[in-house]
Coordinates of all heavy atoms in Angstrom, one line a residue:
M1 N -6.4 -5.0 -46.4 CA -5.6 -3.8 -46.1 C -6.6 -2.7 -45.7 O -7.6 -2.4 -46.3 CB -4.9 -3.4 -47.4 CG -4.1 -2.1 -47.3 SD -3.2 -1.9 -48.8 CE -1.8 -1.0 -48.2
N2 N -6.2 -2.0 -44.6 CA -7.1 -0.9 -44.1 C -6.7 0.4 -44.6 O -5.5 0.9 -44.4 CB -6.9 -0.9 -42.5 CG -7.9 0.0 -41.9 OD1 -8.8 0.5 -42.5 ND2 -7.7 0.3 -40.6
R3 N -7.6 1.0 -45.4 CA -7.3 2.3 -46.0 C -8.2 3.4 -45.4 O -9.4 3.2 -45.3 CB -7.5 2.3 -47.5 CG -6.5 1.4 -48.2 CD -6.8 1.5 -49.7 NE -5.8 0.6 -50.4 CZ -5.9 0.1 -51.6 NH1 -7.0 0.4 -52.3 NH2 -5.0 -0.6 -52.1
V4 N -7.6 4.5 -45.1 CA -8.4 5.6 -44.6 C -8.4 6.6 -45.7 O -7.4 7.2 -46.0 CB -7.7 6.2 -43.3 CG1 -8.5 7.4 -42.8 CG2 -7.7 5.2 -42.2
Y5 N -9.6 6.8 -46.3 CA -9.7 7.8 -47.4 C -9.8 9.2 -46.8 O -10.6 9.5 -46.0 CB -10.9 7.4 -48.3 CG -10.6 6.2 -49.1 CD1 -11.0 4.9 -48.7 CD2 -9.9 6.3 -50.3 CE1 -10.7 3.8 -49.5 CE2 -9.6 5.2 -51.1 CZ -10.0 4.0 -50.7 OH -9.7 2.9 -51.4
V6 N -9.1 10.1 -47.4 CA -9.1 11.5 -47.1 C -10.1 12.2 -48.1 O -10.9 12.9 -47.8 CB -7.7 12.1 -47.1 CG1 -7.8 13.7 -47.0 CG2 -6.8 11.6 -46.1
C7 N -9.9 11.8 -49.4 CA -10.7 12.4 -50.4 C -11.4 11.2 -51.1 O -10.8 10.4 -51.9 CB -9.8 13.1 -51.4 SG -10.6 13.7 -52.9
S8 N -12.7 11.2 -50.9 CA -13.5 10.1 -51.5 C -13.8 10.4 -53.0 O -14.1 9.5 -53.7 CB -14.8 9.9 -50.7 OG -15.5 11.1 -50.6
C9 N -13.8 11.7 -53.4 CA -14.0 12.0 -54.8 C -13.0 11.4 -55.7 O -13.3 11.0 -56.8 CB -14.0 13.6 -54.9 SG -15.3 14.4 -54.1
F10 N -11.7 11.4 -55.3 CA -10.6 10.9 -56.1 C -10.0 9.7 -55.5 O -9.0 9.2 -56.0 CB -9.6 12.0 -56.4 CG -10.2 13.1 -57.2 CD1 -10.5 14.3 -56.7 CD2 -10.4 12.9 -58.6 CE1 -11.1 15.3 -57.5 CE2 -10.9 13.9 -59.4 CZ -11.2 15.1 -58.8
G11 N -10.5 9.1 -54.4 CA -9.9 7.9 -53.8 C -8.5 8.1 -53.2 O -7.7 7.2 -53.3
V12 N -8.2 9.3 -52.7 CA -6.9 9.5 -52.1 C -6.9 9.2 -50.7 O -7.8 9.6 -49.9 CB -6.5 11.0 -52.3 CG1 -5.2 11.3 -51.8 CG2 -6.6 11.4 -53.8
T13 N -5.9 8.4 -50.3 CA -5.8 7.9 -48.9 C -4.9 8.9 -48.1 O -4.2 9.7 -48.6 CB -5.2 6.5 -48.8 OG1 -3.9 6.6 -49.3 CG2 -6.0 5.5 -49.6
E14 N -5.0 8.7 -46.7 CA -4.2 9.5 -45.8 C -2.7 9.1 -46.1 O -1.9 10.0 -46.1 CB -4.6 9.1 -44.4 CG -3.8 9.9 -43.4 CD -4.4 9.6 -42.0 OE1 -5.6 9.5 -41.8 OE2 -3.6 9.6 -41.0
K15 N -2.4 7.9 -46.4 CA -1.0 7.5 -46.7 C -0.5 8.2 -47.9 O 0.6 8.7 -47.9 CB -1.0 6.0 -46.9 CG 0.4 5.5 -47.2 CD 0.4 4.0 -47.5 CE 1.8 3.5 -47.9 NZ 1.8 2.1 -48.4
Q16 N -1.3 8.4 -48.9 CA -0.9 9.1 -50.1 C -0.6 10.6 -49.8 O 0.4 11.1 -50.3 CB -1.9 9.0 -51.2 CG -2.0 7.6 -51.8 CD -3.2 7.4 -52.8 OE1 -4.3 7.7 -52.4 NE2 -2.9 7.0 -54.0
V17 N -1.5 11.2 -49.0 CA -1.3 12.6 -48.7 C 0.0 12.7 -47.9 O 0.8 13.6 -48.2 CB -2.5 13.1 -47.8 CG1 -2.2 14.5 -47.3 CG2 -3.7 13.2 -48.7
K18 N 0.3 11.8 -47.0 CA 1.5 11.9 -46.2 C 2.7 11.7 -47.1 O 3.8 12.3 -46.9 CB 1.5 10.8 -45.1 CG 0.6 11.2 -44.0 CD 0.5 10.1 -42.9 CE -0.4 10.5 -41.8 NZ -0.5 9.5 -40.7
E19 N 2.6 10.8 -48.1 CA 3.7 10.6 -49.0 C 4.0 11.8 -49.8 O 5.2 12.2 -50.0 CB 3.4 9.4 -50.0 CG 3.5 8.0 -49.3 CD 3.0 6.9 -50.1 OE1 2.4 7.1 -51.2 OE2 3.1 5.7 -49.7
H20 N 3.0 12.5 -50.3 CA 3.2 13.8 -51.0 C 3.8 14.8 -50.1 O 4.6 15.6 -50.5 CB 1.9 14.3 -51.6 CG 1.4 13.4 -52.8 ND1 2.1 13.2 -53.9 CD2 0.2 12.7 -52.9 CE1 1.4 12.4 -54.7 NE2 0.3 12.1 -54.1
A21 N 3.4 14.8 -48.9 CA 3.9 15.8 -47.9 C 5.4 15.5 -47.7 O 6.2 16.4 -47.6 CB 3.2 15.7 -46.6
D22 N 5.8 14.2 -47.5 CA 7.2 13.9 -47.4 C 8.0 14.2 -48.6 O 9.2 14.5 -48.5 CB 7.3 12.3 -47.1 CG 6.8 11.9 -45.7 OD1 6.6 12.8 -44.9 OD2 6.5 10.7 -45.5
A23 N 7.3 14.3 -49.8 CA 8.0 14.6 -51.0 C 8.1 16.1 -51.2 O 8.7 16.6 -52.1 CB 7.3 14.0 -52.2
G24 N 7.6 16.9 -50.2 CA 7.7 18.4 -50.3 C 6.5 19.2 -50.4 O 6.5 20.4 -50.4
A25 N 5.3 18.5 -50.5 CA 4.0 19.3 -50.6 C 3.7 19.8 -49.2 O 3.7 19.1 -48.3 CB 2.9 18.4 -51.1
C26 N 3.6 21.2 -49.1 CA 3.4 21.8 -47.8 C 2.0 22.4 -47.6 O 1.7 22.8 -46.5 CB 4.4 22.9 -47.6 SG 6.1 22.4 -47.7
T27 N 1.2 22.5 -48.7 CA -0.1 23.1 -48.6 C -1.1 22.3 -49.2 O -0.8 21.4 -50.1 CB -0.1 24.5 -49.3 OG1 0.1 24.3 -50.7 CG2 1.0 25.4 -48.7
P28 N -2.4 22.5 -48.9 CA -3.5 21.7 -49.6 C -3.4 21.9 -51.1 O -3.7 21.0 -51.9 CB -4.7 22.3 -49.0 CG -4.3 22.7 -47.6 CD -2.9 23.2 -47.8
R29 N -3.0 23.1 -51.5 CA -3.0 23.4 -53.0 C -1.9 22.5 -53.6 O -2.1 22.0 -54.7 CB -2.7 24.9 -53.2 CG -2.6 25.2 -54.7 CD -2.6 26.6 -55.0 NE -3.9 27.2 -54.8 CZ -4.3 28.4 -54.8 NH1 -3.4 29.3 -55.1 NH2 -5.5 28.8 -54.7
Q30 N -0.8 22.3 -52.9 CA 0.3 21.5 -53.5 C -0.1 20.0 -53.5 O 0.2 19.3 -54.4 CB 1.6 21.7 -52.7 CG 2.2 23.1 -52.9 CD 3.3 23.4 -52.0 OE1 3.5 22.8 -51.0 NE2 4.1 24.5 -52.3
I31 N -0.9 19.6 -52.5 CA -1.4 18.3 -52.4 C -2.4 18.1 -53.6 O -2.3 17.1 -54.3 CB -2.1 18.0 -51.1 CG1 -1.1 18.0 -49.9 CG2 -2.9 16.7 -51.2 CD1 -0.1 16.8 -49.9
A32 N -3.2 19.1 -53.9 CA -4.2 19.0 -55.0 C -3.4 18.9 -56.3 O -3.9 18.2 -57.2 CB -5.0 20.3 -55.0
S33 N -2.3 19.6 -56.5 CA -1.6 19.5 -57.7 C -1.0 18.2 -57.9 O -0.8 17.7 -59.0 CB -0.4 20.6 -57.7 OG -0.9 21.9 -57.7
A34 N -0.6 17.5 -56.8 CA 0.0 16.2 -56.8 C -1.0 15.1 -57.1 O -0.7 14.1 -57.8 CB 0.8 15.9 -55.5
C35 N -2.2 15.2 -56.5 CA -3.1 14.0 -56.6 C -4.6 14.4 -56.8 O -5.5 13.5 -56.7 CB -3.0 13.1 -55.4 SG -3.4 13.9 -53.8
K36 N -4.9 15.7 -57.0 CA -6.3 16.2 -57.2 C -7.1 16.2 -55.9 O -8.3 16.7 -55.9 CB -7.1 15.3 -58.2 CG -6.5 15.5 -59.6 CD -7.5 14.8 -60.6 CE -7.1 14.9 -62.0 NZ -8.0 14.2 -62.9
A37 N -6.7 15.7 -54.8 CA -7.4 15.7 -53.6 C -7.8 17.2 -53.2 O -6.9 18.1 -53.2 CB -6.7 15.1 -52.4
G38 N -9.0 17.4 -52.9 CA -9.5 18.7 -52.5 C -10.0 19.6 -53.7 O -10.4 20.7 -53.5
T39 N -9.9 19.1 -54.9 CA -10.3 19.9 -56.0 C -11.7 19.7 -56.5 O -12.2 20.5 -57.4 CB -9.3 19.6 -57.2 OG1 -9.5 18.3 -57.6 CG2 -7.9 20.0 -56.9
D40 N -12.5 18.8 -56.0 CA -13.8 18.6 -56.4 C -14.8 19.2 -55.4 O -15.1 20.4 -55.5 CB -14.1 17.1 -56.6 CG -15.4 16.9 -57.4 OD1 -15.8 17.7 -58.2 OD2 -16.0 15.8 -57.2
C41 N -15.3 18.5 -54.4 CA -16.3 19.0 -53.5 C -15.6 19.9 -52.4 O -16.2 20.7 -51.8 CB -17.1 17.9 -52.9 SG -16.3 17.0 -51.6
G42 N -14.3 19.6 -52.1 CA -13.6 20.4 -51.1 C -13.8 20.0 -49.7 O -13.2 20.6 -48.8
S43 N -14.6 19.0 -49.4 CA -14.8 18.6 -48.0 C -13.6 18.0 -47.3 O -13.6 18.0 -46.1 CB -16.0 17.6 -48.0 OG -15.7 16.4 -48.6
C44 N -12.6 17.7 -48.1 CA -11.4 17.0 -47.5 C -10.3 18.0 -47.2 O -9.3 17.7 -46.6 CB -10.9 15.9 -48.4 SG -10.4 16.5 -50.0
V45 N -10.5 19.3 -47.6 CA -9.4 20.3 -47.5 C -9.0 20.4 -46.0 O -7.8 20.5 -45.7 CB -9.7 21.6 -48.1 CG1 -8.7 22.6 -47.9 CG2 -9.9 21.4 -49.6
R46 N -9.9 20.5 -45.1 CA -9.6 20.7 -43.7 C -8.8 19.4 -43.2 O -7.9 19.6 -42.3 CB -10.8 21.0 -42.9 CG -11.3 22.4 -43.1 CD -12.4 22.7 -42.1 NE -12.9 24.0 -42.5 CZ -12.9 25.1 -41.7 NH1 -12.5 24.9 -40.4 NH2 -13.4 26.2 -42.1
R47 N -9.2 18.3 -43.6 CA -8.5 17.0 -43.2 C -7.1 17.1 -43.7 O -6.1 16.7 -43.0 CB -9.3 15.8 -43.7 CG -8.6 14.5 -43.4 CD -8.7 14.2 -41.9 NE -8.0 13.0 -41.6 CZ -7.1 12.8 -40.7 NH1 -6.9 13.7 -39.8 NH2 -6.5 11.6 -40.5
I48 N -6.9 17.5 -45.0 CA -5.6 17.6 -45.5 C -4.7 18.6 -44.7 O -3.6 18.3 -44.4 CB -5.6 18.0 -47.0 CG1 -6.3 16.9 -47.9 CG2 -4.2 18.4 -47.6 CD1 -6.6 17.3 -49.3
Q49 N -5.3 19.7 -44.4 CA -4.6 20.7 -43.6 C -4.2 20.1 -42.2 O -3.1 20.3 -41.8 CB -5.5 21.9 -43.3 CG -5.7 22.8 -44.5 CD -6.7 23.9 -44.3 OE1 -7.7 23.7 -43.5 NE2 -6.5 25.0 -44.9
A50 N -5.1 19.3 -41.6 CA -4.7 18.7 -40.4 C -3.6 17.7 -40.5 O -2.7 17.6 -39.6 CB -6.0 18.0 -39.8
I51 N -3.6 16.9 -41.6 CA -2.5 16.0 -41.9 C -1.2 16.7 -42.1 O -0.1 16.3 -41.5 CB -2.8 15.1 -43.1 CG1 -4.0 14.2 -42.8 CG2 -1.6 14.3 -43.5 CD1 -4.5 13.5 -44.0
L52 N -1.2 17.8 -42.8 CA 0.0 18.6 -43.0 C 0.5 19.3 -41.8 O 1.7 19.4 -41.6 CB -0.2 19.6 -44.1 CG -0.5 19.1 -45.5 CD1 -0.9 20.3 -46.5 CD2 0.6 18.3 -46.1
G53 N -0.5 19.7 -40.9 CA -0.1 20.3 -39.7 C 0.8 21.5 -39.8 O 0.8 22.2 -40.9
R54 N 1.4 21.9 -38.8 CA 2.3 23.0 -38.8 C 3.8 22.6 -38.7 O 4.6 23.4 -38.2 CB 2.0 23.9 -37.6 CG 0.6 24.4 -37.5 CD 0.3 25.7 -38.3 NE 1.2 26.7 -37.9 CZ 1.4 27.8 -38.6 NH1 0.8 27.9 -39.8 NH2 2.2 28.7 -38.2
G55 N 4.0 21.4 -39.1 CA 5.4 20.9 -39.0 C 6.3 21.5 -40.0 O 6.0 22.4 -40.7
S56 N 7.5 21.0 -40.0 CA 8.6 21.5 -40.9 C 8.2 21.3 -42.3 O 7.7 20.2 -42.7 CB 9.9 20.8 -40.5 OG 10.9 21.3 -41.4
C57 N 8.5 22.2 -43.1 CA 8.3 22.1 -44.6 C 9.5 22.6 -45.3 O 9.9 23.8 -45.1 CB 7.0 23.0 -45.0 SG 6.8 23.0 -46.7
P58 N 10.1 21.8 -46.1 CA 11.4 22.3 -46.7 C 11.2 23.6 -47.5 O 12.0 24.4 -47.5 CB 11.7 21.1 -47.7 CG 11.0 19.9 -47.1 CD 9.8 20.5 -46.4
R59 N 10.1 23.7 -48.2 CA 9.8 24.9 -49.0 C 9.6 26.1 -48.1 O 10.1 27.2 -48.4 CB 8.6 24.7 -49.9 CG 8.9 23.7 -51.0 CD 7.7 23.6 -51.9 NE 8.0 22.6 -53.0 CZ 7.1 22.0 -53.7 NH1 5.9 22.2 -53.5 NH2 7.5 21.2 -54.6
R60 N 8.9 25.9 -47.0 CA 8.6 27.0 -46.1 C 10.0 27.5 -45.5 O 10.2 28.7 -45.3 CB 7.6 26.6 -45.0 CG 7.2 27.8 -44.2 CD 6.2 27.4 -43.1 NE 5.0 26.7 -43.7 CZ 4.6 25.5 -43.4 NH1 5.2 24.8 -42.4 NH2 3.5 25.0 -43.9
D61 N 10.8 26.5 -45.1 CA 12.1 26.8 -44.5 C 12.9 27.7 -45.5 O 13.6 28.6 -45.1 CB 12.9 25.5 -44.2 CG 12.2 24.8 -43.0 OD1 11.3 25.4 -42.3 OD2 12.5 23.6 -42.9
L62 N 12.9 27.3 -46.8 CA 13.7 28.1 -47.8 C 13.1 29.5 -47.9 O 13.9 30.4 -48.0 CB 13.6 27.4 -49.2 CG 14.4 26.1 -49.3 CD1 14.1 25.4 -50.6 CD2 15.9 26.4 -49.2
L63 N 11.8 29.6 -47.9 CA 11.2 31.0 -48.0 C 11.6 31.8 -46.9 O 11.8 33.0 -47.0 CB 9.7 30.8 -48.2 CG 9.2 30.3 -49.5 CD1 7.7 30.0 -49.4 CD2 9.5 31.2 -50.6
E64 N 11.6 31.2 -45.7 CA 11.9 32.0 -44.5 C 13.4 32.5 -44.5 O 13.7 33.5 -43.9 CB 11.7 31.2 -43.2 CG 10.2 31.0 -42.9 CD 9.9 30.1 -41.8 OE1 10.8 29.5 -41.2 OE2 8.7 29.9 -41.5
Q65 N 14.2 31.7 -45.2 CA 15.6 32.1 -45.4 C 15.8 33.1 -46.5 O 16.9 33.5 -46.8 CB 16.5 30.9 -45.6 CG 16.5 29.9 -44.4 CD 17.2 28.6 -44.8 OE1 17.9 28.5 -45.8 NE2 17.0 27.6 -43.9
G66 N 14.7 33.5 -47.2 CA 14.8 34.4 -48.3 C 15.3 33.8 -49.6 O 15.7 34.5 -50.6
M67 N 15.2 32.4 -49.7 CA 15.6 31.7 -50.9 C 14.4 31.3 -51.7 O 13.3 31.1 -51.1 CB 16.5 30.5 -50.5 CG 17.7 30.9 -49.7 SD 18.6 29.4 -49.1 CE 19.2 28.7 -50.6
P68 N 14.6 31.1 -53.0 CA 13.4 30.6 -53.8 C 13.0 29.2 -53.3 O 13.9 28.3 -53.1 CB 13.9 30.6 -55.2 CG 15.4 30.7 -55.1 CD 15.7 31.3 -53.8
A69 N 11.7 28.9 -53.3 CA 11.2 27.6 -52.8 C 11.1 26.6 -53.9 O 11.1 25.4 -53.7 CB 9.9 27.8 -52.1
L70 N 11.0 27.1 -55.1 CA 10.8 26.2 -56.3 C 11.8 26.6 -57.4 O 12.2 27.7 -57.5 CB 9.4 26.4 -56.9 CG 8.2 26.1 -56.0 CD1 6.9 26.5 -56.6 CD2 8.2 24.6 -55.6
A71 N 12.2 25.6 -58.2 CA 13.1 25.8 -59.2 C 12.6 26.9 -60.2 O 13.4 27.6 -60.8 CB 13.4 24.5 -60.0
A72 N 11.3 26.9 -60.4 CA 10.7 27.9 -61.3 C 10.9 29.3 -60.8 O 10.8 30.3 -61.5 CB 9.2 27.6 -61.5
D73 N 11.1 29.5 -59.5 CA 11.3 30.8 -58.9 C 12.7 31.3 -59.1 O 13.0 32.5 -58.9 CB 11.1 30.8 -57.4 CG 9.6 30.5 -57.0 OD1 8.7 30.7 -57.9 OD2 9.4 30.1 -55.9
V74 N 13.6 30.5 -59.6 CA 15.0 30.9 -59.9 C 15.0 31.4 -61.3 O 14.8 30.7 -62.2 CB 16.0 29.7 -59.7 CG1 17.4 30.2 -60.0 CG2 15.9 29.2 -58.3
T75 N 15.3 32.7 -61.4 CA 15.4 33.3 -62.8 C 16.9 33.6 -63.0 O 17.6 34.1 -62.2 CB 14.6 34.6 -62.9 OG1 15.0 35.5 -61.8 CG2 13.1 34.3 -62.8
P76 N 17.3 33.2 -64.2 CA 18.7 33.5 -64.6 C 18.9 35.1 -64.6 O 18.0 35.8 -64.9 CB 18.9 32.9 -65.9 CG 17.6 32.7 -66.5 CD 16.6 32.6 -65.3
E77 N 20.2 35.5 -64.4 CA 20.5 36.9 -64.5 C 20.3 37.3 -65.9 O 20.7 36.7 -66.8 CB 21.9 37.2 -64.0 CG 22.1 37.0 -62.5 CD 23.5 37.5 -62.1 OE1 24.1 38.4 -62.7 OE2 24.0 36.9 -61.2
V78 N 19.6 38.5 -66.0 CA 19.4 39.0 -67.4 C 20.4 40.2 -67.6 O 20.4 41.1 -66.8 CB 17.9 39.5 -67.5 CG1 17.7 40.1 -68.9 CG2 17.0 38.3 -67.3
T79 N 21.1 40.1 -68.6 CA 22.0 41.2 -68.9 C 21.5 42.0 -70.1 O 21.0 41.4 -71.0 CB 23.5 40.7 -69.3 OG1 23.4 39.8 -70.3 CG2 24.1 40.0 -68.1
E80 N 21.7 43.3 -70.0 CA 21.2 44.1 -71.1 C 22.2 44.1 -72.2 O 23.4 44.2 -72.0 CB 21.0 45.5 -70.7 CG 19.6 45.8 -70.3 CD 19.4 47.3 -70.0 OE1 19.7 48.1 -70.9 OE2 19.0 47.6 -68.9
L81 N 21.7 43.9 -73.4 CA 22.6 43.9 -74.6 C 22.5 45.2 -75.3 O 21.4 45.6 -75.7 CB 22.3 42.8 -75.6 CG 22.4 41.3 -75.0 CD1 21.9 40.4 -76.1 CD2 23.9 41.1 -74.7
G82 N 23.5 46.0 -75.3 CA 23.5 47.3 -76.0 C 23.8 47.1 -77.5 O 24.6 46.2 -77.9
E83 N 23.1 47.9 -78.3 CA 23.4 47.8 -79.7 C 24.6 48.6 -80.0 O 24.8 49.7 -79.5 CB 22.2 48.3 -80.5 CG 21.0 47.4 -80.3 CD 19.8 47.9 -81.1 OE1 20.0 48.7 -82.0 OE2 18.7 47.4 -80.9
A84 N 25.4 48.1 -80.9 CA 26.6 48.8 -81.4 C 26.2 50.0 -82.3 O 25.3 49.9 -83.1 CB 27.5 47.9 -82.1
A85 N 26.8 51.1 -82.1 CA 26.4 52.3 -82.9 C 27.1 52.3 -84.2 O 28.1 51.9 -84.5 CB 26.7 53.6 -82.1

């Protein structure tokens, strides 16, 4: 099997980076969160950026529409509770 390693520090392949990108990772930081690639020596970060390219990103599309990109960004409405006198 022919594997092209993007991150030799953690043994992350180009295929794995593409799979994480297909799952919604749009930035090198999000790739790093998913598989640690780019978090040690950092020499692979530019390669990761090249793989991610400037293509469509579901999260970026949501942000451009003014919507939260992550579930953590959605905060429930907070109502003030007044104390009874």
Side-chain angles (χ1 to χ4, degrees):
M1 180 176 208
N2 188 12
R3 293 185 180 158
V4 177
Y5 286 96
V6 172
C7 176
S8 54
C9 294
F10 293 103
V12 179
T13 64
E14 185 172 321
K15 180 181 175 187
Q16 289 172 306
V17 171
K18 288 179 180 179
E19 287 171 353
H20 290 301
D22 290 344
C26 302
T27 65
R29 181 171 283 177
Q30 291 169 344
I31 294 293
S33 293
C35 63
K36 293 187 178 181
T39 61
D40 194 28
C41 76
S43 66
C44 60
V45 174
R46 287 188 185 238
R47 178 71 181 133
I48 293 168
Q49 288 172 328
I51 292 169
L52 295 175
R54 300 277 304 164
S56 178
C57 173
R59 290 182 180 159
R60 189 179 303 124
D61 294 342
L62 288 172
L63 289 172
E64 288 173 359
Q65 295 171 12
M67 300 173 67
L70 301 172
D73 293 340
V74 178
T75 55
E77 287 186 33
V78 178
T79 57
E80 264 186 57
L81 300 176
E83 294 184 13

